[in-house]
Amino acid sequence: MTVNTTGTTTGTAKTGTATTRSGTTGSGTTGSGTTGTAAAGTATTGTAPAAAAAADASPVPPRRTVTAAVVQAAAPLFDTPAAVARAEELIREAAGRGAEVVVLPEAFLGGYPKGLDFGITVGSRSPAGRDLFRRYHAAAIEVPGPETATLAAVTRELGCHAVVGAVERHGGTLYCVALFFGPDGYLGLHRKLMPTAAERFLWGQGDGSTLPVVDSGKGRLGAAICWENYMPLLRTAMYAKGVDLWCAPTVDDRDAWQATMRHIALEGRCFVLSACQYLRRDGLPDDLHPVQGDAPDTVLIGGGSVIVSPLGEVLAGPLRDGEGILTAVLDLDDLARARFDLDTTGHYARPDVFTLHVDESPRATVTGV
């Protein structure tokens, strides 16, 4: 399993620039030496050389791999054209490094306003806070819309898949979403089911109708956004859909997040691709004042992007202290190797004891008669 770790600005010193890990791929067990030796044991038939030659010539199944990348970066807040251009640039950069699947962080388009309170106290909203929300609402994107059309054209051109965190504007409500793109263009979205804490001031709740799993032809992609990854029933529902590449756009930069990503990889027996923002105070407009302080180099979101194998091995990252892109070549046969002894919604499930009902119908407030 080949792993490549690179940074676009900083954050490369800790993880290095290139590492090769071959111990978990099991490639040594299919080498020609073992089969050739076994065939040579037929000397009594007088055909040992021919048998050995035939064994040596037997085809070795090609490795099924996919190169994945997670992007650690942030886009300018309240500047949607610049955010889209930055997303395009990063997807192209990752694809240029061989990535076939690229994951960008939570709320990359539309922005994550870390440290802003929008003038809210219990039972009260301020005029300044309402105007700040107006700016945030205007910076969100409609789906589908010109921004998704631009990124769809990019993935069509590059022939890759991308999962991009965004803030969707739907009428007067905003949703935190993960957008799916591929060689066929825009493929769909997942709306975050449960905004966390003060995010509920800004974002509405998604429903069960946006829990897609996208078959890339090289593994099935699904997404859980930030603290959705802590929802065991959501995880179970997604595991049942056969997720192979679990995409986790996030802004959770805590060290504890790493344990969650490794746990999900082990629990779901899937590859986990977690992309976190890296955001400093100087990435916000000057007229905003986050609670963390106004020093330009104050880190608001510290990264921690990571790629994990289906047996919980960290393949790349975590990336700290700057923007960057992590890549790893994933051996898809590791999925079967890992599910040999644990398939939580298959042979390791107990449907006679536990069942989960998932309502995937859209929940519209008003429907026509």
Side-chain angles (χ1 to χ4, degrees), residues 74-87 107-112 139 277 279 282-285 323:
L77 190 62
F78 304 145
D79 189 342
T80 305
V84 174
R86 181 75 169 132
F108 189 87
L109 306 179
Y112 193 88
Q277 286 203 27
L279 176 66
D282 54 11
L284 299 182
E323 294 189 343

Side-chain angles (χ1 to χ4, degrees), residues 104-165:
L104 270 65
E106 178 181 19
F108 189 87
L109 306 179
Y112 193 88
K114 184 73 175 284
L116 305 182
D117 62 16
F118 287 80
I120 294 174
T121 55
V122 175
S124 178
R125 268 71 60 198
S126 72
R130 290 185 184 277
D131 194 57
L132 182 58
F133 180 78
R134 177 199 59 77
R135 294 169 67 186
Y136 192 54
H137 183 272
I141 66 171
E142 294 185 350
V143 182
E147 294 82 10
T148 57
T150 295
L151 296 183
V154 172
T155 57
R156 276 196 299 265
E157 174 193 339
L158 299 174
C160 69
H161 283 79
V163 178
V164 180

Side-chain angles (χ1 to χ4, degrees), residues 355-369:
T355 58
L356 172 64
H357 172 72
V358 182
D359 184 350
E360 296 194 26
S361 60
R363 293 293 181 174
T365 303
V366 179
T367 58
V369 177

Side-chain angles (χ1 to χ4, degrees), residues 142-198:
E142 294 185 350
V143 182
E147 294 82 10
T148 57
T150 295
L151 296 183
V154 172
T155 57
R156 276 196 299 265
E157 174 193 339
L158 299 174
C160 69
H161 283 79
V163 178
V164 180
V167 179
E168 177 200 13
R169 182 177 63 247
H170 187 76
T173 299
L174 304 181
Y175 296 95
C176 180
V177 300
L179 304 171
F180 292 82
F181 301 92
D184 293 329
Y186 171 66
L187 304 176
L189 62 74
H190 163 57
R191 283 179 174 169
K192 192 175 187 179
L193 290 173
M194 195 66 245
T196 299

Side-chain angles (χ1 to χ4, degrees), residues 42-64:
T42 60
T44 55
T45 66
T47 60
D56 288 341
S58 61
V60 177
R63 288 182 69 212
R64 299 186 311 119

Side-chain angles (χ1 to χ4, degrees), residues 265-277:
L266 278 167
E267 180 182 70
R269 291 308 205 246
C270 52
F271 290 100
V272 170
L273 314 175
S274 178
C276 187
Q277 286 203 27

